[in-house]
Amino acid sequence: MAKKQFKAESKRLLDIMINSIYTHKEIFLRELISNASDAVDKLCFMSLTDPEVGMGRGDFFIRIDADKEGRSLKISDNGVGMTRDELESNLGVIARSGSLKFKQELSDQEKEGNDVEIIGQFGVGFYSAFMVSDKVTVRSRAYGSEEAWQWESSGADGYSITPCEKDAPGTEVIMAVKADTEDENYSDFIDEYTLVSLVKKYSDYIRYPILMEREKSRPVETEIDGEKKTDYVKYTEVETLNSMVPIWQRVRGEVSGEDYSAFYKEKFHDFEEPLLYTHVDAEGVVSYKALLFIPGKAAYDFYTKEFQKGLQLYSGGVMIMEKCADLLPEHFRFVQGVVDSPDLSLNISRELLQHDRQLKTIAKNIERKIKNELLKLLGSEREKYESFWKAFGMQLKYGAVAEYGAHRDSLQDLLMFYSSEGEGLTTLAEYVSRMKEDQAGIYYATGESVKMISQLPQAEKLKQKGYEILYLTDDVDEFAMQVLRVYKEKEFKAIGGGDLGLESEEEKKELEQKQEQSKDLLGFVKEALGDKIKEAKLSGNLVSHPVCLSAGGFMSFEMEKYMSAFQPDSAAKADRILELNPAHEVFAKLQNMYGEDKEKAKKYVEVLYGQALLIAGLPLEDPAAYSGLVLSMI
């Protein structure tokens, strides 16, 4: 029979499809298996109402045969098959889908109550075979027909359709695999191990068995002259490569915790048990099933730019994307899992999403589900939640800060901090529940360690009054407080940021009087230190300490340290306010010295400033000069 030409537009589309549409050549196997599954689905559906089919669901299969020597690969099925006209229509016109046409022709009555899931909808997946083949041959016999037909093509130059012999209904796609090149090792696609891996990766949940004859060996013991010897005899065995029923499609009550754990370990290559898992079966505007896991610990590269977030995305049991980043917000990037939805709008390659409305709906629901599961864990299994927090708490803090606090309200109840109330972690809700009636706000302090923060001079008076202090030791904490600002109408107050509202009205008036009386001395202190400080003033926040530094303006000392660490040349510095304790004997000594010996008083001021810097965890500008100053006064 004379070779037929593809239509001009189809010829161009074939060329584009082979060279541009698919990101990875290995996708061809997924596409051909999906087409085979659709063909089996059609005949399986027909068997529900046509007893002449004479087959049940357990009789259907898809088969892979690889011939390394002949460099050919065959994908066959015992599905509905195609007539000559259907071969002409479906394979002679690119982008025409027989599967989509079949689904569209079903009446609502036929669809109702029957499991009809057609994977292929675009009619181009078959042509992905040309990415790895010099020639593709299709032999097909339609159910109910005694005739079989062969379609054959070497690509864009056209195709031929001729009669052939085939014993039973179904379709065979036979590919003459290309020779290897410097850039591509096409031999991989007739390698048993590669084929098994690709089926597991993309088509593990196709609901019919995918069969392949595999070479195996078994030990055979023999005895010659009393000496035992073990030989290995090779044999072939037809093996089912796919698991067929994904765990997320099973009824939750029928799946054990051990089953979920085993699935997680195998799927995501983790040796440890997941800390938390949840099985989602959602119906609504977009229907989907999902299995979500929180690992027991962070991956070794979790806090690096190499780490890729995302959930595995399936449509009808066929994997579409290995890492769909759009399904997870950045603050929940540690979550592993799978999502399977038949409602996704896919593009013709099924590698990318055509529209993202459905995906956004699923992502929003998943984010809400993860948050609720974590809140539930916090409330019912505190120790387990704290284990989670130690692994991924930093990520939640970054999430609260990101996008100008867009996720602040969503995450604030999940945050945990150390505090002056015991040695354990506390939540903001727990802190607020313990607040004193007269407490002005939520007090916090940032520093390098809990021990260092607890010894800050400003903390002493707060503790005396029974006010709890949050101890913040992570770099991101200062930014988190700036973003959170208020929790349950309680304002966050940095204890190193000036007025803490601890004095009564009478105490404030008394302090103002002392401030006025000490005006000349405070002016002298400012003059002695020059640009090192913005202001010197008396403090109502100190008890046993003579001096401290507080930060004026919007920038705190911890923020200054953070900026200096990442930008050593940064000129950004917090305003330094030197606070002196008027009730301390050192202040009285300074007053006397100011009246008797101003040069010596200046040295006292410089020593006090150095002490304040050290207590605040700030570097001395000239440690050697400071040491010399102290020694000169001993």
Side-chain angles (χ1 to χ4, degrees):
M1 182 180 179
K3 183 177 287 186
K4 292 190 174 187
Q5 295 295 311
F6 290 112
K7 290 182 179 179
E9 62 272 21
S10 290
K11 196 170 182 178
R12 173 63 179 149
L13 179 58
L14 178 58
D15 182 63
I16 293 171
M17 191 281 308
I18 292 173
N19 296 294
S20 305
I21 287 180
Y22 292 97
T23 307
H24 305 291
K25 287 182 169 58
E26 65 186 33
I27 293 295
F28 85 93
L29 189 63
R30 179 191 75 179
E31 296 299 299
L32 295 182
I33 289 175
S34 295
N35 288 347
S37 177
D38 287 346
V40 173
D41 262 333
K42 293 170 190 176
L43 189 55
C44 185
F45 178 77
M46 291 168 64
S47 72
L48 299 176
T49 55
D50 183 358
E52 294 296 320
V53 173
M55 298 171 71
R57 180 176 286 275
D59 299 316
F60 294 105
F61 64 86
I62 299 163
R63 182 174 173 124
I64 300 174
D65 291 285
D67 179 359
K68 276 192 173 184
E69 292 183 6
R71 292 192 71 79
S72 73
L73 180 66
K74 180 168 72 174
I75 312 296
S76 55
D77 65 71
N78 61 346
V80 71
M82 287 178 279
T83 64
R84 185 193 184 287
D85 289 344
E86 286 170 336
L87 276 172
E88 177 84 53
S89 177
N90 294 336
L91 303 188
V93 180
I94 299 172
R96 176 185 176 89
S97 171
S99 295
L100 180 59
K101 185 172 182 290
F102 172 80
K103 191 170 184 178
Q104 289 171 338
E105 289 176 351
L106 290 176
S107 67
D108 291 338
Q109 187 175 0
E110 286 176 310
K111 291 177 186 176
E112 189 174 350
N114 292 314
D115 189 12
V116 184
E117 290 183 15
I118 301 298
I119 299 168
Q121 294 191 20
F122 303 101
V124 297
F126 163 77
Y127 297 94
S128 62
F130 287 103
M131 293 192 296
V132 300
S133 310
D134 290 321
K135 183 174 73 172
V136 178
T137 302
V138 179
R139 297 193 185 110
S140 193
R141 174 179 161 184
Y143 166 71
S145 173
E146 297 299 320
E147 296 178 325
W149 297 90
Q150 175 174 294
W151 181 98
E152 193 168 77
S153 174
S154 295
D157 63 334
Y159 63 94
S160 63
I161 299 179
T162 56
C164 70
E165 296 295 323
K166 196 171 186 307
D167 294 337
T171 300
E172 298 173 349
V173 179
I174 304 145
M175 290 161 280
V177 177
K178 292 179 180 180
D180 295 337
T181 66
E182 288 185 7
D183 299 325
E184 294 287 348
N185 185 18
Y186 292 101
S187 295
D188 281 346
F189 301 122
I190 44 177
D191 175 72
E192 180 182 292
Y193 178 79
T194 301
L195 292 169
V196 171
S197 298
L198 291 178
V199 169
K200 277 289 182 187
K201 181 176 182 179
Y202 292 108
S203 307
D204 195 35
Y205 306 118
I206 291 290
R207 52 186 175 174
Y208 304 102
I210 301 172
L211 309 176
M212 188 166 78
E213 193 173 87
R214 302 189 67 184
E215 188 177 84
K216 299 187 177 184
S217 61
R218 63 171 174 263
V220 176
E221 288 189 356
T222 57
E223 188 173 328
I224 301 174
D225 297 330
E227 184 178 342
K228 290 185 178 180
K229 183 181 178 183
T230 301
D231 292 316
Y232 288 87
V233 178
K234 291 184 178 180
Y235 67 100
T236 58
E237 182 179 278
V238 175
E239 185 177 312
T240 300
L241 306 183
N242 58 323
S243 60
M244 289 181 279
V245 182
I247 191 172
W248 60 83
Q249 294 285 5
R250 292 160 61 184
V251 179
R252 274 175 288 189
E254 296 176 359
V255 186
S256 68
E258 289 77 13
D259 291 334
Y260 286 122
S261 180
F263 172 82
Y264 166 76
K265 289 179 180 178
E266 180 183 356
K267 190 74 170 174
F268 301 105
H269 313 294
D270 196 345
F271 293 107
E272 296 194 11
E273 300 283 326
L275 187 74
L276 178 69
Y277 65 83
T278 182
H279 191 159
V280 182
D281 187 351
E283 294 183 357
V285 178
V286 180
S287 297
Y288 67 94
K289 297 179 189 293
L291 259 184
L292 307 173
F293 299 90
I294 294 177
K297 64 179 182 180
Y300 71 93
D301 61 345
F302 181 72
Y303 287 106
T304 70
K305 62 182 180 181
E306 283 75 27
F307 181 83
Q308 289 184 307
K309 72 168 183 174
L311 302 177
Q312 290 190 354
L313 181 62
Y314 289 78
S315 181
V318 177
M319 191 173 79
I320 305 304
M321 296 178 72
E322 179 123 30
K323 291 279 188 181
C324 185
D326 292 338
L327 283 171
L328 286 175
E330 190 64 19
H331 48 272
F332 289 153
R333 69 201 297 259
F334 47 81
V335 174
Q336 301 268 31
V338 297
V339 173
D340 192 343
S341 173
D343 296 337
L344 298 175
S345 298
L346 306 176
N347 69 2
I348 59 175
S349 72
R350 290 209 288 267
E351 290 182 282
L352 301 170
L353 297 172
Q354 202 168 24
H355 303 291
D356 63 355
R357 181 180 59 82
Q358 301 101 324
L359 202 68
K360 285 181 177 177
T361 300
I362 294 173
K364 188 176 179 181
N365 292 342
I366 284 175
E367 180 180 6
R368 188 184 306 116
K369 181 67 175 177
I370 295 169
K371 177 193 170 182
N372 290 339
E373 289 298 316
L374 287 173
L375 285 173
K376 192 188 301 180
L377 187 69
L378 174 61
S380 61
E381 296 184 75
R382 179 58 173 256
E383 187 175 335
K384 207 171 183 181
Y385 185 84
E386 289 193 14
S387 177
F388 155 77
W389 179 259
K390 286 172 184 175
F392 303 110
M394 185 79 75
Q395 189 61 35
L396 298 191
K397 288 181 181 180
Y398 281 123
V401 171
E403 300 177 51
Y404 303 101
H407 305 285
R408 175 188 63 194
D409 294 340
S410 175
L411 296 176
Q412 59 187 3
D413 285 322
L414 294 172
L415 302 180
M416 301 194 88
F417 306 93
Y418 288 103
S419 85
S420 56
E421 184 73 22
E423 296 182 358
L425 290 159
T426 188
T427 65
L428 295 177
E430 290 165 346
Y431 179 102
V432 169
S433 71
R434 295 190 291 263
M435 284 179 65
K436 304 288 185 182
E437 287 187 14
D438 61 341
Q439 192 168 330
I442 300 173
Y443 296 111
Y444 73 90
T446 52
E448 294 177 9
S449 68
V450 168
K451 183 178 180 181
M452 180 178 169
I453 297 170
S454 68
Q455 294 173 348
L456 287 173
Q458 299 95 319
E460 195 171 4
K461 192 166 186 178
L462 287 166
K463 291 177 182 177
Q464 277 188 351
K465 287 182 170 288
Y467 297 155
E468 186 175 352
I469 307 166
L470 295 178
Y471 294 157
L472 313 183
T473 58
D474 294 324
D475 289 337
V476 70
D477 286 335
E478 185 69 42
F479 297 96
M481 293 299 109
Q482 300 293 333
V483 169
L484 290 173
R485 296 192 304 277
V486 174
Y487 178 78
K488 292 188 176 178
E489 301 180 354
K490 304 294 183 182
E491 184 181 353
F492 288 94
K493 288 181 172 290
I495 71 170
D499 183 22
L500 300 178
L502 302 179
E503 301 92 357
S504 63
E505 288 301 318
E506 187 176 327
E507 288 172 331
K508 283 181 182 179
K509 286 180 182 179
E510 185 179 342
L511 187 63
E512 287 171 3
Q513 289 174 357
K514 290 180 180 178
Q515 182 87 10
E516 181 63 28
Q517 293 166 3
S518 305
K519 183 169 61 175
D520 292 342
L521 173 59
L522 295 173
F524 170 78
V525 172
K526 171 66 176 88
E527 184 180 346
L529 296 174
D531 293 340
K532 293 177 182 178
I533 64 170
K534 181 182 180 182
E535 178 189 358
K537 69 175 187 178
L538 301 186
S539 175
N541 297 333
L542 298 173
V543 180
S544 64
H545 291 270
V547 68
C548 74
L549 274 182
S550 60
F554 72 92
M555 183 175 283
S556 68
F557 295 139
E558 288 307 309
M559 203 174 291
E560 177 187 317
K561 293 177 200 174
Y562 181 85
M563 298 294 286
S564 297
F566 288 92
Q567 301 178 31
D569 299 329
S570 173
K573 289 190 178 296
D575 291 335
R576 286 154 166 70
I577 298 172
L578 188 66
E579 297 190 23
L580 299 165
N581 184 354
H584 200 281
E585 59 183 348
V586 168
F587 182 74
K589 184 75 171 177
L590 180 62
Q591 282 180 313
N592 293 336
M593 195 66 63
Y594 170 65
E596 297 171 2
D597 186 344
K598 287 186 172 53
E599 281 304 311
K600 196 169 183 180
K602 185 178 178 182
K603 291 183 178 180
Y604 265 69
V605 169
E606 290 176 353
V607 169
L608 288 173
Y609 177 66
Q611 292 294 309
L613 283 173
L614 291 171
I615 292 170
L618 295 167
L620 294 167
E621 295 173 6
D622 188 342
Y626 178 76
S627 177
L629 178 63
V630 172
L631 291 173
S632 71
M633 298 180 66
I634 294 177

